[in-house]
Amino acid sequence: MRSLSGLLIVLGVTMLSGTIVSVALPQIVGSLNGTQAQYTWVVTATLLASTASTPVWGKLADLFDKKKLLQLSIVLFVVSSLLAGFAQTTGQLIAFRAVQGLGMGASQVLVQVIIASLVSPKERGRLNGYIGGIMAVATVGGPLIGGAITDISWLGWRWCFFIGVPFMVIASLVLGRTLKLADVRRADAKVDYAGALLIASGVSTLLLWVTFVGNDFAWISWQSGAMVAGSAVLLGLAVWVESRVSQPVIPLHLVVRRETAIAILASIAVGMAMFGGAVFLGQYFQLARGYSPTEAGLLTTPLMLGVLVSSTVSGRMVSNSGRVKPYVVTGLVSLTLGFLLLSTIDETTSLLIVSAGMLLVGTGVGMSMQNLVLVVQNSVPLSELGAASGAITFFRSLGGTMGVSVLGAILANRVGTNISEGLAGAGVDASAAAGSGTLNLAAMPPFLREIVESAYGSSTGDIFLVATGIAAVGLVVGLFLPKVRLRDTLDLPGAEEVPSDGATGTGGGTPSVGGDAANAPASADGRVPAAGDGPGTPVVARGQAARVVRAAKREDGTG
């Protein structure tokens, strides 16, 4: 529990660093004279760096000392946070936030891997309550703290980046004294640098296209063709490399498993909800409704309250029953309904309706996000835990990054169109909008400020309508999730006993848990019973178990 306290501090601070700026961003970007496009990039740069580096950190966790990797990520996060706090321009802030994203991605995936190395999947359901609580406190407290810091004259928005530094230092000291992990460094350890570079380049190119298309160039243009084709080529080469190297960054046999593939697709939708909701709701309350940063933080409380309550309750219920699918599907239903309700809002919508929509979205995120991680971690042996955790975190972060980029691009286009229409309706020449491209409302004349607020109000509902469609896709995918039962052992029992010839499992001698085995009731030691099961029988699907038994009989002459 002492080690867990340090791990939860790291997780909480890294998540806080993402949400603490969500409400303060209009003030931050406005004080630095940034634009709406730069507003999005302050968030996107962090998510992009975190997303691109996550699978690398996850793979490194399987090859090297997890504790030292986590300490390295803490140092990276602390240094970049200090630099971001001292930024003098929006460009500098974006650059330092990108470096901070490297530390955030490393810390979040390494904390999950270390916890999974200490606690079985079934008991981890209870820990999901703690993790969900930390996430909720970070996400609830983030906007509140960010808004309050921004409103306090003797602090200012720069302390949004400084405030997490002392907590990370304390966490590093606690982990250095209490966290004891076996040193798993291997002599044959290899890092797939080529695959990591190709994945990062392909994803970055795609996200850059999503960010700039429609503003800097048309959807159908040579720039779009070059960026989409380039991304496709890079990702295609990444798949080719990953299928041939001995120790890939993202093992393909993990991604193509039914449980993992479905959990990944559903996580993309949840990621878009988690990041997009927090970022654009804070902006909505300030720019469309005229609330202060502190008030905007308080108004986002229903979203975070939903995450806290649903993650805690569903985590305990998952641990008691060992079943995951009912809670994931229920969460995705709540997520879809919440976005559907939020798609109706504008600058005049009752706050009760907005709060109800946020509560549903928060409930959906809390019930589905960590449980989808559990599904993936439950299906792999301990030796592949880092790669599996890195893969699901990577795709969830990718969904969040794409969500912020896509929704941000749509919002910027809609706001620009609405402002132009508002000016034309008022009989004002468009040149009067010089300065409406910034988010510094205080510097605008009153008539222009009213038009801008109305533009943001109606445009926010439009982007949540898009999010509704994405959540609905995640729900449909989630319905195909197998009825997974969580094991109560740290590793797959018998994982070391299965021959490595590939006859009884997936690559590398790892047994495959799927089909009937995944649905069969587990015994006291977490093993799945099969006909003829005796002491030491590997946990494999029943059909595979039968083949193992027949092969053994042929070898000893009894069959």
Side-chain angles (χ1 to χ4, degrees):
M1 291 301 296
R2 287 181 295 176
S3 299
L4 183 63
S5 65
L7 294 172
L8 293 181
I9 289 174
V10 173
L11 183 63
V13 171
T14 53
M15 296 202 68
L16 184 72
S17 67
T19 60
I20 198 172
V21 299
S22 61
V23 170
L25 265 181
Q27 299 290 327
I28 295 173
V29 178
S31 67
L32 295 175
N33 294 318
T35 65
Q36 175 64 46
Q38 290 175 320
Y39 179 102
T40 302
W41 264 103
V42 173
V43 179
T44 303
T46 308
L47 295 178
L48 180 60
S50 175
T51 301
S53 64
T54 292
V56 179
W57 291 109
K59 183 61 180 179
L60 290 175
D62 285 335
L63 303 178
F64 302 107
D65 190 324
K66 299 177 179 63
K67 180 177 178 179
K68 291 183 179 179
L69 287 173
L70 181 60
Q71 290 173 325
L72 174 62
S73 72
I74 291 174
V75 172
L76 187 63
F77 179 86
V78 168
V79 172
S80 59
S81 296
L82 292 173
L83 291 173
F86 287 114
Q88 299 299 310
T89 66
T90 312
Q92 291 178 3
L93 179 61
I94 292 172
F96 296 143
R97 285 281 288 173
V99 179
Q100 192 179 38
L102 296 176
M104 289 172 60
S107 299
Q108 291 182 15
V109 69
L110 289 171
V111 166
Q112 292 191 60
V113 171
I114 291 173
I115 291 177
S117 301
L118 300 173
V119 185
S120 70
K122 194 167 187 290
E123 288 302 311
R124 215 174 302 146
R126 298 184 190 278
L127 284 184
N128 278 351
Y130 294 111
I131 295 173
I134 290 294
M135 289 169 53
V137 169
T139 47
V140 170
L144 291 174
I145 295 172
I149 288 175
T150 304
D151 283 342
I152 297 175
S153 59
W154 52 274
L155 285 177
W157 60 263
R158 296 185 185 277
W159 276 92
C160 291
F161 302 103
F162 296 149
I163 193 171
V165 172
F167 292 97
M168 290 295 265
V169 173
I170 293 172
S172 181
L173 294 176
V174 170
L175 292 173
R177 295 178 61 87
T178 64
L179 182 60
K180 308 297 180 183
L181 292 174
D183 189 350
V184 296
R185 288 178 294 179
R186 291 157 34 183
D188 62 340
K190 297 179 181 178
V191 179
D192 177 23
Y193 293 107
L197 179 61
L198 288 169
I199 292 172
S201 301
V203 171
S204 299
T205 303
L206 181 62
L207 292 175
L208 288 172
W209 172 71
V210 170
T211 301
F212 293 124
V213 70
N215 288 321
D216 296 287
F217 49 82
W219 288 87
I220 301 178
S221 62
W222 70 266
Q223 293 95 332
S224 289
M227 297 185 77
V228 172
S231 177
V233 170
L234 289 170
L235 293 176
L237 288 174
V239 172
W240 182 80
V241 169
E242 296 298 273
S243 66
R244 282 160 174 75
V245 296
S246 59
Q247 297 176 15
V249 173
I250 301 180
L252 297 182
H253 72 272
L254 293 180
V255 177
V256 298
R257 285 177 180 170
R258 182 183 176 189
E259 296 95 330
T260 309
I262 292 175
I264 283 173
L265 292 174
S267 291
I268 292 175
V270 176
M272 296 185 75
M274 181 175 62
F275 293 110
V279 170
F280 295 110
L281 280 170
Q283 189 178 28
Y284 164 78
F285 284 123
Q286 290 180 74
L287 299 184
R289 306 301 291 260
Y291 290 104
S292 69
T294 303
E295 292 169 336
L298 288 170
L299 289 169
T300 58
T301 301
L303 176 69
M304 313 315 171
L305 186 63
V307 176
L308 171 61
V309 175
S310 63
S311 61
T312 303
V313 174
S314 66
R316 291 191 172 275
M317 295 178 73
V318 164
S319 281
N320 291 335
S321 66
R323 299 183 181 277
V324 183
K325 181 177 179 178
Y327 306 99
V328 171
V329 172
T330 303
L332 292 171
V333 169
S334 177
L335 186 67
T336 305
L337 293 177
F339 274 133
L340 183 61
L341 187 57
L342 289 176
S343 69
T344 64
I345 67 175
D346 57 23
E347 71 278 10
T348 62
T349 303
S350 168
L351 290 180
L352 289 177
I353 295 177
V354 180
S355 298
M358 289 190 293
L359 183 63
L360 286 171
V361 170
T363 300
V365 171
M367 293 187 70
S368 55
M369 184 171 62
Q370 284 302 117
N371 287 328
L372 288 169
V373 175
L374 265 184
V375 170
V376 175
Q377 292 179 338
N378 184 70
S379 66
V380 299
L382 195 61
S383 61
E384 294 183 327
L385 191 59
S389 300
I392 184 109
T393 306
F394 165 72
F395 285 105
R396 186 179 68 203
S397 298
L398 177 62
T401 309
M402 293 186 67
V404 172
S405 298
V406 172
L407 297 181
I410 294 173
L411 181 64
N413 285 330
R414 293 294 300 157
V415 166
T417 301
N418 290 341
I419 289 176
S420 298
E421 292 176 352
L423 290 172
V428 179
D429 186 76
S431 60
S436 63
T438 75
L439 301 181
N440 190 359
L441 295 182
M444 297 180 185
F447 83 94
L448 182 56
R449 177 171 180 167
E450 183 178 345
I451 292 174
V452 170
E453 289 178 345
S454 177
Y456 274 98
S458 58
S459 299
T460 302
D462 294 339
I463 65 172
F464 284 131
L465 182 61
V466 176
T468 302
I470 297 170
V473 172
L475 172 59
V476 172
V477 171
L479 293 175
F480 292 93
L481 189 70
K483 295 181 179 179
V484 178
R485 182 177 288 275
L486 301 179
R487 67 175 190 264
D488 54 12
T489 56
L490 285 177
D491 203 355
L492 290 174
E496 300 296 328
E497 305 173 39
V498 180
S500 59
D501 59 3
T504 61
T506 56
T510 302
S512 173
V513 180
D516 293 336
N519 301 328
S523 59
D525 60 357
R527 297 167 54 252
V528 180
D533 193 9
T537 302
V539 179
V540 292
R542 288 181 177 135
Q544 294 174 335
R547 290 196 296 273
V548 173
V549 172
R550 288 197 296 269
K553 288 181 178 180
R554 285 195 298 270
E555 290 179 3
D556 63 15
T558 61

